Short mmCIF file of all heavy atoms in Angstrom, two decimals:
data_model
loop_
_atom_site.label_atom_id
_atom_site.label_comp_id
_atom_site.label_asym_id
_atom_site.label_seq_id
_atom_site.Cartn_x
_atom_site.Cartn_y
_atom_site.Cartn_z
N ARG A 205 108.44 -76.78 -25.65
CA ARG A 205 107.27 -76.11 -25.28
C ARG A 205 107.27 -76.28 -23.81
O ARG A 205 106.29 -76.58 -23.06
CB ARG A 205 106.09 -77.01 -25.84
CG ARG A 205 106.08 -77.00 -27.30
CD ARG A 205 105.56 -75.68 -27.95
NE ARG A 205 104.10 -75.42 -27.62
CZ ARG A 205 103.51 -74.34 -28.05
NH1 ARG A 205 104.23 -73.27 -28.50
NH2 ARG A 205 102.26 -74.18 -27.89
N HIS A 226 104.86 -62.89 -27.16
CA HIS A 226 105.02 -63.96 -28.24
C HIS A 226 105.93 -64.99 -27.93
O HIS A 226 105.78 -66.13 -28.16
CB HIS A 226 105.38 -63.01 -29.56
CG HIS A 226 104.36 -62.15 -30.11
ND1 HIS A 226 102.85 -62.54 -30.02
CD2 HIS A 226 104.46 -60.95 -30.84
CE1 HIS A 226 102.21 -61.53 -30.57
NE2 HIS A 226 103.12 -60.53 -31.07
N ALA A 231 106.68 -70.59 -26.26
CA ALA A 231 107.19 -71.61 -25.39
C ALA A 231 106.05 -72.54 -24.87
O ALA A 231 106.43 -73.37 -23.92
CB ALA A 231 108.07 -71.04 -24.31
N GLY A 246 97.71 -65.20 -9.23
CA GLY A 246 97.72 -66.44 -9.96
C GLY A 246 98.68 -66.59 -11.00
O GLY A 246 98.74 -67.58 -11.73
N PRO A 253 109.52 -55.87 -19.50
CA PRO A 253 110.18 -55.68 -20.78
C PRO A 253 111.13 -54.67 -20.82
O PRO A 253 111.26 -53.74 -19.83
CB PRO A 253 109.03 -55.40 -21.70
CG PRO A 253 108.08 -54.71 -20.73
CD PRO A 253 108.16 -55.35 -19.52
N GLY A 254 111.81 -54.47 -21.90
CA GLY A 254 112.63 -53.33 -22.24
C GLY A 254 111.70 -52.19 -22.66
O GLY A 254 110.55 -52.40 -22.97
N GLY A 268 98.76 -47.94 -9.76
CA GLY A 268 98.69 -48.70 -8.53
C GLY A 268 99.41 -50.04 -8.44
O GLY A 268 99.00 -50.91 -7.65
N LYS A 302 116.10 -38.17 -12.43
CA LYS A 302 115.33 -37.38 -11.39
C LYS A 302 114.24 -36.59 -11.96
O LYS A 302 114.19 -36.15 -13.16
CB LYS A 302 116.30 -36.35 -10.54
CG LYS A 302 117.39 -37.15 -9.91
CD LYS A 302 118.28 -36.15 -9.15
CE LYS A 302 119.36 -36.91 -8.34
NZ LYS A 302 120.19 -36.04 -7.57
N ASN A 307 113.59 -35.73 -7.15
CA ASN A 307 113.32 -37.13 -6.59
C ASN A 307 113.82 -38.24 -7.64
O ASN A 307 113.51 -38.16 -8.84
CB ASN A 307 111.76 -37.43 -6.37
CG ASN A 307 111.23 -36.45 -5.30
OD1 ASN A 307 111.77 -36.13 -4.29
ND2 ASN A 307 110.19 -35.81 -5.74
N GLN A 309 114.39 -41.74 -9.57
CA GLN A 309 113.29 -42.81 -10.01
C GLN A 309 113.46 -43.92 -8.98
O GLN A 309 114.45 -44.22 -8.30
CB GLN A 309 113.70 -43.20 -11.43
CG GLN A 309 115.02 -43.97 -11.55
CD GLN A 309 115.35 -44.48 -13.04
OE1 GLN A 309 116.14 -43.81 -13.62
NE2 GLN A 309 114.65 -45.55 -13.33
N VAL A 319 123.13 -51.04 -10.91
CA VAL A 319 123.11 -50.91 -12.38
C VAL A 319 123.43 -49.49 -12.71
O VAL A 319 123.21 -48.52 -12.07
CB VAL A 319 121.72 -51.34 -13.06
CG1 VAL A 319 121.51 -52.76 -12.74
CG2 VAL A 319 120.66 -50.55 -12.60
N VAL A 355 121.49 -58.33 -28.59
CA VAL A 355 121.37 -56.91 -29.00
C VAL A 355 121.27 -56.04 -27.93
O VAL A 355 120.50 -56.14 -26.99
CB VAL A 355 120.19 -56.76 -29.88
CG1 VAL A 355 119.90 -55.31 -30.36
CG2 VAL A 355 120.20 -57.74 -31.20
N VAL A 371 126.56 -64.33 -11.74
CA VAL A 371 126.81 -63.72 -13.01
C VAL A 371 126.83 -64.82 -14.14
O VAL A 371 127.51 -65.73 -14.10
CB VAL A 371 128.16 -63.10 -13.09
CG1 VAL A 371 128.57 -62.42 -14.40
CG2 VAL A 371 128.39 -61.94 -12.06
N ARG A 379 134.48 -57.16 -27.74
CA ARG A 379 133.26 -57.66 -28.52
C ARG A 379 132.30 -56.40 -28.58
O ARG A 379 131.17 -56.70 -29.03
CB ARG A 379 132.69 -58.72 -27.73
CG ARG A 379 133.59 -60.03 -27.90
CD ARG A 379 132.86 -61.27 -27.40
NE ARG A 379 133.57 -62.49 -27.55
CZ ARG A 379 133.03 -63.72 -27.38
NH1 ARG A 379 131.80 -63.88 -26.87
NH2 ARG A 379 133.86 -64.73 -27.60
N LEU A 400 114.92 -64.92 -9.81
CA LEU A 400 114.89 -63.58 -10.51
C LEU A 400 116.04 -63.66 -11.49
O LEU A 400 117.25 -63.99 -11.19
CB LEU A 400 115.12 -62.48 -9.45
CG LEU A 400 114.19 -62.22 -8.43
CD1 LEU A 400 114.54 -61.07 -7.56
CD2 LEU A 400 112.66 -62.08 -9.04
N SER A 404 120.77 -57.28 -19.75
CA SER A 404 121.00 -55.97 -20.28
C SER A 404 120.38 -55.91 -21.59
O SER A 404 120.14 -54.87 -22.11
CB SER A 404 122.43 -55.58 -20.10
OG SER A 404 123.07 -55.60 -18.91
N THR A 410 115.55 -60.99 -31.14
CA THR A 410 116.51 -61.67 -32.07
C THR A 410 116.13 -63.07 -32.41
O THR A 410 116.78 -63.74 -33.21
CB THR A 410 117.92 -61.72 -31.36
OG1 THR A 410 117.91 -62.49 -30.34
CG2 THR A 410 118.48 -60.25 -31.17
N LYS A 413 115.36 -68.02 -28.06
CA LYS A 413 114.48 -68.50 -27.24
C LYS A 413 114.92 -69.06 -25.92
O LYS A 413 114.25 -69.34 -24.92
CB LYS A 413 113.81 -69.80 -28.04
CG LYS A 413 113.35 -69.48 -29.39
CD LYS A 413 112.09 -68.49 -29.33
CE LYS A 413 111.48 -68.22 -30.76
NZ LYS A 413 110.42 -67.17 -30.79
N LEU A 418 115.17 -70.64 -20.12
CA LEU A 418 115.89 -70.77 -18.82
C LEU A 418 114.94 -70.16 -17.69
O LEU A 418 114.83 -70.75 -16.63
CB LEU A 418 117.08 -69.82 -18.99
CG LEU A 418 117.86 -69.68 -17.54
CD1 LEU A 418 118.27 -70.92 -16.95
CD2 LEU A 418 118.99 -68.76 -17.65
N PHE A 419 114.27 -69.12 -17.94
CA PHE A 419 113.39 -68.49 -17.02
C PHE A 419 112.15 -69.45 -16.64
O PHE A 419 111.94 -69.68 -15.54
CB PHE A 419 112.80 -67.30 -17.51
CG PHE A 419 111.72 -66.53 -16.61
CD1 PHE A 419 112.16 -66.25 -15.26
CD2 PHE A 419 110.60 -66.15 -17.01
CE1 PHE A 419 111.20 -65.75 -14.41
CE2 PHE A 419 109.62 -65.55 -16.15
CZ PHE A 419 110.00 -65.39 -14.88
#
Side-chain angles (χ1 to χ4, degrees):
R205 301 286 288 176
H226 294 326
K302 296 183 179 180
N307 300 309
Q309 71 181 101
V319 298
V355 173
V371 175
R379 293 191 175 186
L400 299 179
S404 301
T410 61
K413 307 295 186 182
L418 172 61
F419 179 54

